[in-house]
Amino acid sequence: MSGYQGKKNIPRITSDRLLIKGAKIVNDDQSFLADIYMEDGVIKQLGDNLIVPGGVKIIEAHGRMVMPGGIDVHTRFQMPDRGMVAADDFYQGTRAALAGGTTMIIDHVVPEPGVDLVAAFKQWREWADGKSCCDYSLHVDITDWNKGTQEEMETLVKDHGVNSFLVYLAYKDVFQLSDSQIYEVFSVIRDLGAIAQVHAENGDIILEEQRRILELGITGPEGHVLSRPEEVEAEAVNRSVTIANQTNCPLYITKVMSKSAADVIALARKKGAVVYGEPISASLGTDGTHYWSKNWAKAAAFVTSPPLSPDPTTPDYLNSLLSCGDLQVTGSAHCTFQTSQRAIGKDDFTLIPEGTNGTEERMSLIWDKCVVTGKMDENQFVAVTSTNAAKIFNLFPRKGRIAVGSDADLVLWDPDVTKIISAKSHNLAVEYNIFEGTEVRGGPVVVISQGKIVLEEGSLHTTEGCGRYISRKPFSDHVYKRIKARSRLTELRGVPRGQYDGPVCEVTVTPKVMSTVTSVKTSPAKQQQQQQQQLTQQPVRNLHQSGFSLSGAQVDDNIPRRNTQRIVAPPGGKANITSLG
């Protein structure tokens, strides 16, 4: 599907040769004036008075900024959920991304538990290859951990260009892995030279809180945020950092939504941890006060996990941390559902499909919140919207850079253009926009993807299925130089000493009786079976060992025991031990 939407008397330019004259080139480290010549989707020349062949389409920049196209590091287009599919597919999603100045997206493959990782990856490739309008790559989520998973991960890294995997600390009994499983996954990821991404929330606490809140009769979208206080996000981030430090694995926290979670990342980085934080369009551009809206459909549109913070000062705080480098990259986590789809949770907030829009609005929101306010300059803007992501995921300098040999993915940016975000004018299939009515300053005037103009004079010229899958090699220098240095430093060595040859006390270890904690998945029959096993596992009296046993009946069993006994005068007199309080 391709088409020209605009004035019919303006011919559509399909030339593969483009020249931008008089551009102020903005990279993450410097800005300078130069002309840019592109051919066959690649930047061929940079400089003044370039000698170029004939038949070249010329764009006059007049000193305006030209920057690398944005990289949206987190999308979930066409996401399946309980038989439904997200409203924005790969065509609609990438088209909207291009309209906002983003020229590459990295989507998440989410295998159903029990489904082969490689098979799920191929399914996502098939969907994206047929519909994507811009270049794309894929993260793969680990939704199950078994013997075959490690081999599948190795295959994805070696044969399919995947260098990032996500694990869930949330969604108990669905996607959630245990700490010991995450330790194993991180160890595998480190050995493969990939990056460990984490959806950070404490799934065990959330499940208990959801039950408690539903029992109180709270069934609306506000129950979603009430059951997921920001402490459960911060705790999970801290736990992820701890496991990543122990395994010496690079860590990447997706969807940083709260102040406390961002603070944990900032503190870990100050201590030298290799950890990156990804706030999203929603957490940078709006807040969670909308969960209490009287309009159910509006409140439900904001449901995502972790939830938006009800503290209205959170977006400004996260923008400040992004500006000073404590948070490094930005995604949209774009995953939209129509109101009719969300309505399956109208009587139970735990059933509302999760996700918000943000791929089209991401770059303008960050410019308005960070650059216009003086928190960051144009070079830092390029870093957080494009270059840092390219470096972390080993796409640099092909992506995230204006240089000879880099891909011709460029944005001519107008810092003064203003726009009011609205569902009436956005390029999405979904009927509600969470940023409705927000005025933003700064936006793209011309967008070039693969060396072709895809946005000009407010009109989109997108071609369905032209997006290429971009393979990513492991062991990104930007990430693994530090990991390798830490690996050399943290090598464990034992103390050389002589063999101990003194006396050794003989002990008899009595097996400990463990009471099994039943999970949600345990059936009543299974519980009964476990109880019988516990009865048969009682310690047996050993007559050779002593003349009495605490495991059998005792003479004084009929005398009632006292639970507590106050010590009036302990041996040695009343010392501090009795007056600690």
Side-chain angles (χ1 to χ4, degrees):
M1 188 187 292
S2 65
Y4 177 70
Q5 300 174 357
K7 297 174 185 174
K8 288 180 181 175
N9 61 342
I10 300 174
R12 180 174 167 195
I13 302 295
T14 55
S15 167
D16 280 343
R17 295 172 175 174
L18 283 175
L19 177 66
I20 301 178
K21 295 195 78 173
K24 181 187 180 183
I25 294 172
V26 182
N27 277 322
D28 68 312
D29 55 351
Q30 60 175 335
S31 302
F32 57 96
L33 292 171
D35 299 344
I36 311 166
Y37 174 64
M38 294 155 268
E39 191 177 329
D40 300 327
V42 177
I43 297 170
K44 296 288 188 181
Q45 295 181 58
L46 282 180
D48 299 323
N49 306 314
L50 301 178
I51 298 168
V52 297
V56 173
K57 157 82 174 171
I58 297 173
I59 298 168
E60 292 287 351
H62 300 295
R64 284 181 297 184
M65 289 182 279
V66 175
M67 53 185 67
I71 300 172
D72 187 343
V73 286
H74 188 160
T75 63
R76 292 179 183 269
F77 300 143
Q78 216 163 314
M79 168 89 169
D81 185 353
R82 289 165 286 176
M84 303 180 293
V85 180
D88 293 309
D89 62 10
F90 276 97
Y91 170 68
Q92 204 72 50
T94 53
R95 193 168 182 273
L98 287 166
T102 290
T103 55
M104 180 175 177
I105 59 111
I106 311 182
D107 205 82
H108 278 264
V109 175
V110 189
E112 290 291 322
V115 173
D116 183 276
L117 294 187
V118 178
F121 172 84
K122 286 177 177 174
Q123 174 65 78
W124 255 258
R125 280 289 313 267
E126 190 183 314
W127 289 336
D129 283 340
K131 295 190 171 188
S132 184
C133 304
C134 68
D135 288 350
Y136 76 96
S137 200
L138 295 169
H139 308 292
V140 176
D141 296 3
I142 308 294
T143 54
D144 198 12
W145 184 245
N146 52 55
K147 287 179 183 175
T149 312
Q150 182 173 343
E151 289 173 18
E152 292 162 28
M153 290 168 72
E154 287 171 10
T155 303
L156 287 169
V157 171
K158 288 170 185 168
D159 303 335
H160 298 284
V162 174
N163 71 5
S164 48
F165 298 92
L166 181 137
V167 296
Y168 293 88
L169 272 65
Y171 306 112
K172 188 172 172 64
D173 298 324
V174 184
F175 296 154
Q176 183 178 328
L177 300 186
S178 68
D179 288 356
S180 56
Q181 287 173 323
I182 289 166
Y183 185 99
E184 288 176 35
V185 175
F186 280 13
S187 300
V188 171
I189 288 173
R190 176 206 60 221
D191 292 342
L192 291 172
I195 289 144
Q197 298 187 308
V198 170
H199 175 112
E201 289 181 288
N202 187 314
D204 293 85
I205 292 176
I206 288 166
L207 188 65
E208 297 304 322
E209 286 293 285
Q210 285 176 333
R211 287 177 184 150
R212 183 177 71 85
I213 285 160
L214 285 170
E215 282 168 11
L216 292 171
I218 299 169
T219 59
E222 69 280 10
H224 178 74
V225 66
L226 290 172
S227 65
R228 297 172 121 94
E230 67 176 65
E231 290 93 339
V232 302
E233 184 189 357
E235 183 279 331
V237 172
N238 190 59
R239 192 156 28 110
S240 307
V241 168
T242 304
I243 299 171
N245 281 342
Q246 297 310 304
T247 53
N248 195 26
C249 178
L251 179 64
Y252 180 107
I253 305 294
T254 64
K255 296 181 77 173
V256 178
M257 305 298 278
S258 66
K259 290 179 179 180
S260 47
D263 285 341
V264 173
I265 295 166
L267 183 62
R269 286 178 63 84
K270 285 180 176 69
K271 291 178 178 178
V274 183
V275 56
Y276 306 97
E278 168 208 281
I280 62 168
S281 311
S283 63
L284 295 168
T286 187
D287 60 60
T289 55
H290 305 280
Y291 292 121
W292 281 268
S293 169
K294 296 283 186 186
N295 180 337
W296 185 92
K298 179 187 174 183
F302 288 81
V303 169
T304 188
S305 289
L308 286 156
S309 172
D311 177 356
T313 63
T314 300
D316 186 61
Y317 188 83
L318 294 180
N319 280 300
S320 294
L321 263 61
L322 182 66
S323 302
C324 75
D326 284 345
L327 299 172
Q328 298 72 41
V329 284
T330 53
S332 64
H334 188 105
C335 184
T336 53
F337 291 93
Q338 304 289 17
T339 303
S340 58
Q341 294 174 306
R342 292 189 190 265
I344 65 165
K346 65 184 174 63
D347 302 317
D348 181 347
F349 64 84
T350 65
L351 300 178
I352 299 172
E354 298 175 2
T356 54
N357 61 283
T359 196
E360 182 175 358
E361 303 83 2
R362 181 180 69 105
M363 290 182 69
S364 288
L365 277 169
I366 295 166
W367 185 272
D368 185 76
K369 304 279 184 188
C370 296
V371 183
V372 173
T373 57
K375 288 179 190 286
M376 67 168 68
D377 60 24
E378 68 221 27
N379 306 102
Q380 288 169 291
F381 174 77
V382 167
V384 301
T385 56
S386 181
T387 310
N388 289 351
K391 288 178 178 177
I392 292 168
F393 295 111
N394 222 2
L395 297 161
F396 189 83
R398 180 179 177 182
K399 303 288 185 185
R401 186 83 177 167
I402 297 179
V404 173
S406 296
D407 282 358
D409 289 352
L410 305 172
V411 178
L412 177 61
W413 190 265
D414 185 345
D416 300 316
V417 67
T418 59
K419 176 186 177 181
I420 295 173
I421 299 170
S422 174
K424 291 171 186 169
S425 56
H426 69 198
N427 291 282
L428 303 169
V430 72
E431 83 272 39
Y432 189 81
N433 192 307
I434 63 164
F435 307 107
E436 187 71 41
T438 303
E439 185 177 21
V440 288
R441 189 188 302 178
V445 179
V446 176
V447 177
I448 297 163
S449 174
Q450 300 174 3
K452 294 182 175 65
I453 297 171
V454 291
L455 175 73
E456 190 178 27
E457 295 183 2
S459 296
L460 274 168
H461 322 298
T462 55
T463 308
E464 188 171 10
C466 75
R468 302 167 296 184
Y469 173 74
I470 307 296
S471 196
R472 295 172 292 137
K473 289 180 180 175
F475 295 104
S476 159
D477 263 0
H478 183 72
V479 176
Y480 269 86
K481 274 182 180 175
R482 291 168 63 202
I483 292 293
K484 285 170 184 171
R486 289 158 63 95
S487 175
R488 286 191 292 271
L489 278 175
T490 56
E491 231 172 75
L492 301 177
R493 287 186 180 86
V495 178
R497 57 168 72 89
Q499 186 71 32
Y500 175 79
D501 56 3
V504 179
C505 184
E506 284 188 24
V507 292
T508 307
V509 180
T510 309
K512 203 175 190 180
V513 181
M514 299 296 288
S515 60
T516 317
V517 179
T518 55
S519 74
V520 181
K521 289 182 176 176
T522 309
S523 65
K526 216 170 187 182
Q527 286 179 30
Q528 195 176 353
Q529 193 181 349
Q530 286 169 353
Q531 284 163 2
Q532 284 171 352
Q533 284 173 352
Q534 286 170 29
L535 288 170
T536 57
Q537 288 171 358
Q538 292 295 328
V540 180
R541 183 175 176 183
N542 185 343
L543 295 173
H544 296 283
Q545 204 174 340
S546 92
F548 70 99
S549 169
L550 293 177
S551 62
Q554 304 300 320
V555 180
D556 59 350
D557 278 352
N558 61 333
I559 302 169
R561 303 283 195 275
R562 279 190 290 180
N563 290 332
T564 60
Q565 188 168 344
R566 187 178 173 193
I567 299 171
V568 181
K574 290 186 181 179
N576 285 344
I577 196 163
T578 60
S579 56
L580 289 174

